[in-house]
């Protein structure tokens, strides 16, 4: 008997983006969607179209770009949400609307203030309306983990009758244990057999998101919702890489199931999301953590040298982590070699992006002797995911420090002209950021600052991530890359400012209309 395919529904761009500080700009979302397509996910939940014009725009652009994954937008069970979702995904080759309403007593009574009958009516109306836009409609019983089984059967009957093709059972608050999820999924999949696909969506509040998803598969779920690096609300969602690699590595147990995921794209996907959101997986995170393949103790190293299988159940190569990250290109490398190398790393750039990346590469190669795969990944990601550059750093001059007054002279290009300003600060960084604030007229509050070296060597690239709140709005992440840490910091700060300006509308609407948060 050939194995059944478990659909992988990735919600990094929707539930993942709901992680504090993980807001992404449209360009960043497009790059992530392209990577998710390479990874082979079946469904990409590209966002929540009604949340803001920015969300709508990103979903619409992704829908036009991606061809082999289904593009989905979330929508509350409200006509205006469903209309936005339907319009945003209209141009997708394969499209889905995902609508939801809470079905647990606690949510219906206290949050929705609706009776169960009203909830059913709303759900049916939402699904019927969604079907006027698409054939593929997913309905979620929000807080299914704490919902009454009888009620979930009743509402599922009604929405299937109205045209829902997938019934998702989210453990919204991450409360359930694997045995409980298994029992819920078994009963619901037997009940709906042949009428709808049962899906699960497990949050990780008790650290059980992945275990619950695997138990769901064995009990009849044929779609699993998850995120790269386990990003998501609070403790996050079940991690895609862990679910997929568990199914693959334990094919003795999961012999009847397979996925469409190309596992060698797992590591590049994880790196892309970490660098865009600035949220690094913990070092000991399964599959993609920095230490996931590190063998520290002498006994383990000895075993590994004799036979890797002694301590390694997954090969780094199988997730696309090529350990032999040798010197790749240098300052004499040409554009063709550069393009070829990028293609090997999974980056297919259009002419404009290729030229911009190549120009940056040449500058880097002049100053840095050895260029590694990670340097190239960082450089290209940085180049591709830039928000529209309203402000561009032209030059930076610093006067320090040891006993004088730290000061910075910053030259910035705007769409209209070039502006030079100088300012002082408590330290060099403070002087740089304050001077940029003076030029832009936006006051930024630095909430977090991280610097890490991209690869090895004293001349390593500094990758700076800043988290800034402009004018008291929700925090925005910015990235800067340069051999010089101060230049990288200035770029990161300006990057955050550009993202803030490109998302200003979105942040305002999220801020002022809390009823729109999911
Ligand atoms: O956790 C949840 O219940 C959700 C739904 C909107 C599917 O994210
Ligand atoms: Zn969720």
């Amino acid at each position: 008997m050939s194995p059944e395919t478990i659909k992988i529904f990735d919600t990094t761009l929707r539930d993942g983006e709901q992680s504090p500080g993980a807001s992404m700009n449209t360009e960043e979302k497009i790059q992530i969607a392209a990577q998710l397509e390479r990874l082979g996910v079946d469904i990409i939940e590209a966002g929540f179209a009604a949340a803001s014009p920015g969300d709508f725009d990103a979903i619409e652009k992704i829908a036009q770009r991606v061809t082999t994954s289904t593009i989905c937008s979330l929508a509350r069970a409200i006509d205006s949400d469903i209309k936005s979702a339907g319009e945003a995904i209209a141009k997708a080759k394969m499209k889905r609307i995902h609508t939801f309403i809470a079905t647990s007593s606690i949510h219906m009574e206290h949050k929705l203030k609706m009776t169960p009958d009203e909830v059913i009516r709303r759900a049916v109306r939402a699904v019927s309306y969604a079907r006027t836009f698409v054939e593929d409609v997913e309905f979620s019983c929000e807080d299914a983990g704490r919902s009454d089984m009888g009620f979930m059967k009743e509402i599922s009957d009604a929405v299937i009758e109205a045209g829902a093709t997938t019934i998702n059972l989210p453990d919204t608050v991450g409360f359930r244990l694997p045995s409980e999820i298994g029992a819920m999924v078994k009963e619901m999949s037997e009940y709906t057999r042949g009428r709808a696909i049962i899906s699960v969506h497990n949050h990780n509040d008790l650290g059980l998101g992945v275990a619950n998803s695997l138990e769901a598969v064995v009990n009849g779920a044929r779609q699993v919702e998850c995120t790269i690096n386990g990003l998501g609300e609070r403790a996050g969602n079940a991690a895609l890489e862990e679910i997929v690699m568990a199914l693959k590595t334990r094919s003795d147990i999961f012999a009847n199931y397979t996925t469409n995921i190309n596992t060698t794209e797992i590591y590049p996907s994880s790196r892309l999301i970490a660098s865009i959101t600035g949220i690094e997986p913990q070092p000991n995170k399964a599959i993609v953590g920095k230490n996931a393949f590190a063998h520290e103790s002498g006994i383990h190293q000895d075993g590994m040298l004799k036979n890797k299988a002694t301590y390694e159940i997954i090969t780094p190569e199988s997730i696309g982590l090529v350990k032999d990250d040798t010197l790749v290109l240098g300052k004499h490398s040409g554009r063709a070699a550069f393009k070829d190398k990028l293609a090997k790393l999974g980056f297919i750039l259009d002419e404009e992006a290729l030229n911009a990346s190549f120009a940056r590469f040449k500058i880097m190669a002049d100053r840095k002797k050895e260029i590694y795969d990670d340097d190239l990944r960082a450089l290209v990601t940085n180049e591709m995911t830039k928000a529209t550059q309203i402000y561009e750093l032209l030059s930076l001059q610093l006067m320090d420090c040891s006993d004088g007054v730290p000061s910075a002279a910053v030259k910035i290009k705007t769409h209209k002209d070039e502006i030079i300003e100088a300012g002082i600060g408590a330290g060099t960084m403070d002087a740089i950021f304050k001077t940029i604030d003076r030029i832009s007229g936006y006051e930024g509050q630095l909430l977090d600052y991280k610097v890490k070296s991209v690869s090895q060597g004293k001349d390593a690239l500094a990758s700076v991530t800043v988290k800034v709140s402009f004018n008291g709005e929700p925090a925005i992440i910015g990235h800067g890359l340069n051999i010089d840490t101060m230049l990288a910091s200035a770029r990161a700060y300006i990057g955050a400012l550009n993202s803030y300006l490109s998302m200003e509308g979105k942040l305002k609407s999220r801020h002022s209309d809390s009823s729109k948060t999911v």
Side-chain angles (χ1 to χ4, degrees):
M1 196 179 75
S2 58
E4 275 191 75
T5 303
I6 305 300
K7 288 189 191 197
I8 299 296
F9 176 115
D10 180 280
T11 182
T12 308
L13 292 172
R14 200 277 298 169
D15 224 342
E17 205 205 12
Q18 289 175 216
S19 296
S23 281
M24 303 168 218
N25 66 40
T26 299
E27 229 1 86
E28 291 168 338
K29 287 185 174 181
I30 292 171
Q31 289 305 326
I32 291 177
Q35 179 57 36
L36 292 173
E37 187 179 30
R38 281 195 284 276
L39 178 63
V41 310
D42 300 282
I43 300 114
I44 298 174
E45 187 161 56
F48 178 18
S52 73
D55 283 45
F56 184 97
D57 181 50
I59 298 170
E60 193 173 41
K61 291 204 165 97
I62 290 169
Q64 288 168 30
R65 183 78 70 93
V66 170
T67 55
T68 57
S69 307
T70 296
I71 301 303
C72 171
S73 170
L74 185 69
R76 290 169 300 177
I78 297 175
D79 285 1
S80 55
D81 272 30
I82 289 164
K83 185 164 182 284
S84 294
E87 287 170 358
I89 59 172
K91 296 215 173 90
K93 200 162 165 217
M94 292 179 287
K95 45 191 171 224
R96 172 181 292 192
I97 293 178
H98 174 194
T99 185
F100 72 99
I101 192 162
T103 51
S104 63
S105 309
I106 183 167
H107 276 227
M108 291 192 287
E109 195 181 321
H110 298 283
K111 187 180 82 169
L112 300 175
K113 301 194 189 314
M114 284 167 76
T115 65
D117 280 348
E118 283 168 332
V119 167
I120 293 182
R121 275 200 297 278
R122 187 75 98 67
V124 167
R125 182 183 164 86
V127 170
S128 316
Y129 187 41
R131 281 298 302 253
T132 65
F133 293 93
V134 289
E135 285 179 7
D136 185 353
V137 175
E138 171 171 334
F139 173 76
S140 279
C141 304
E142 190 192 8
D143 204 16
R146 294 186 298 173
S147 298
D148 174 71
M149 178 58 76
F151 184 59
M152 282 203 294
K153 286 181 178 166
E154 198 182 337
I155 200 165
S156 297
D157 281 341
V159 294
I160 291 171
E161 179 70 25
T165 41
T166 300
I167 301 291
N168 184 36
L169 305 174
D171 186 18
T172 304
V173 291
F175 178 67
R176 289 293 166 200
L177 305 182
S179 56
E180 296 172 307
I181 292 286
M184 173 179 78
V185 168
K186 190 168 193 305
E187 191 161 344
M188 282 298 285
S189 54
E190 277 167 8
Y191 186 69
T192 57
R193 177 152 302 148
R195 297 191 288 146
I197 287 182
I198 290 294
S199 164
V200 285
H201 173 113
N202 291 305
H203 278 271
N204 209 26
D205 299 66
L206 294 174
L208 293 169
V210 171
N212 286 349
S213 304
L214 295 172
E215 197 58 25
V217 167
V218 182
N219 283 285
R222 291 295 168 265
Q223 175 179 287
V224 177
E225 303 195 354
C226 42
T227 58
I228 303 288
N229 296 344
L231 219 58
E233 287 262 3
R234 308 181 308 277
N237 290 56
L240 180 149
E241 61 278 6
E242 296 179 25
I243 295 169
V244 169
M245 290 314 286
L247 290 172
K248 183 174 164 132
T249 309
R250 295 308 309 273
S251 55
D252 52 334
I253 305 283
F254 298 113
N256 296 335
Y257 315 106
T258 186
T259 69
N260 289 323
I261 296 296
N262 171 4
T263 63
T264 61
E265 291 294 342
I266 284 181
Y267 187 70
S269 307
S270 167
R271 294 315 312 145
L272 182 67
I273 274 114
S275 69
I276 285 178
T277 59
I279 303 173
E280 277 291 329
Q282 74 209 46
N284 58 333
K285 159 94 178 56
I287 318 293
V288 293
K290 196 164 143 263
N291 296 344
F293 295 94
H295 300 275
E296 187 72 21
S297 90
I299 297 173
H300 287 209
Q301 287 174 352
D302 181 52
M304 285 289 289
L305 289 172
K306 289 174 176 147
N307 181 339
K308 286 191 174 169
T310 50
Y311 287 103
E312 204 168 76
I313 58 162
I314 304 168
T315 65
E317 292 77 15
S318 67
I319 62 152
L321 171 58
V322 186
K323 277 183 144 181
D324 186 22
D325 177 25
T326 44
L327 175 69
V328 284
L329 297 173
K331 69 185 208 177
H332 300 296
S333 306
R335 197 170 168 282
F338 179 72
K339 184 176 175 185
D340 184 60
K341 181 68 198 178
L342 293 192
K344 287 202 179 97
L345 292 177
F347 294 111
I348 313 291
L349 308 190
D350 61 28
E351 278 305 290
E352 197 186 328
L354 183 68
N355 290 342
S357 299
F358 187 59
R360 284 239 174 265
F361 162 74
K362 280 289 182 186
I363 297 169
M364 180 166 90
D366 253 346
R367 300 179 63 187
K368 188 172 182 334
K369 253 184 27 224
E370 299 180 331
I371 296 175
Y372 297 88
D373 286 358
D374 275 347
D375 293 325
L376 289 176
R377 272 197 198 100
L379 180 138
V380 175
T381 307
N382 207 264
E383 207 50 50
M384 290 194 315
T385 57
K386 271 184 192 152
T388 313
Q389 285 198 290
I390 299 159
Y391 293 100
E392 190 184 344
L393 182 69
L394 292 183
S395 70
L396 175 68
Q397 273 179 28
L398 301 171
M399 276 262 296
D400 166 54
C401 98
S402 23
D403 13 69
V405 181
S407 63
V410 182
K411 187 171 173 188
I412 279 182
K413 190 171 138 203
T414 70
H415 56 288
K416 284 203 292 271
D417 41 25
E418 289 178 10
I419 308 171
I420 304 182
E421 269 286 354
I424 57 169
T428 312
M429 208 83 81
D430 190 40
I432 298 173
F433 295 165
K434 277 189 176 140
T435 309
I436 296 171
D437 283 355
R438 184 112 59 86
I439 293 175
S440 71
Y442 289 90
E443 200 186 327
Q445 195 195 348
L446 187 66
L447 302 175
D448 198 9
Y449 173 91
K450 282 193 208 106
V451 58
K452 82 177 183 41
S453 79
V454 173
S455 56
Q456 324 145 33
K458 293 197 190 95
D459 61 354
L461 281 177
S463 165
V464 172
T465 304
V466 294
K467 193 169 169 187
V468 193
S469 160
F470 290 98
N471 292 355
E473 300 267 2
I476 294 283
I477 301 284
H479 306 284
L481 195 69
N482 202 276
I483 291 172
D484 184 286
T485 309
M486 291 300 149
L487 260 176
S489 305
R491 289 224 168 98
Y493 195 82
I494 291 172
L497 178 62
N498 284 331
S499 283
Y500 167 69
L501 295 173
S502 71
M503 295 199 291
E504 210 183 351
K506 160 182 176 160
L507 294 169
K508 284 221 170 84
S509 68
R510 281 236 161 119
H511 219 31
S512 57
D513 183 359
S514 59
S515 67
K516 289 213 163 143
T517 54
V518 186

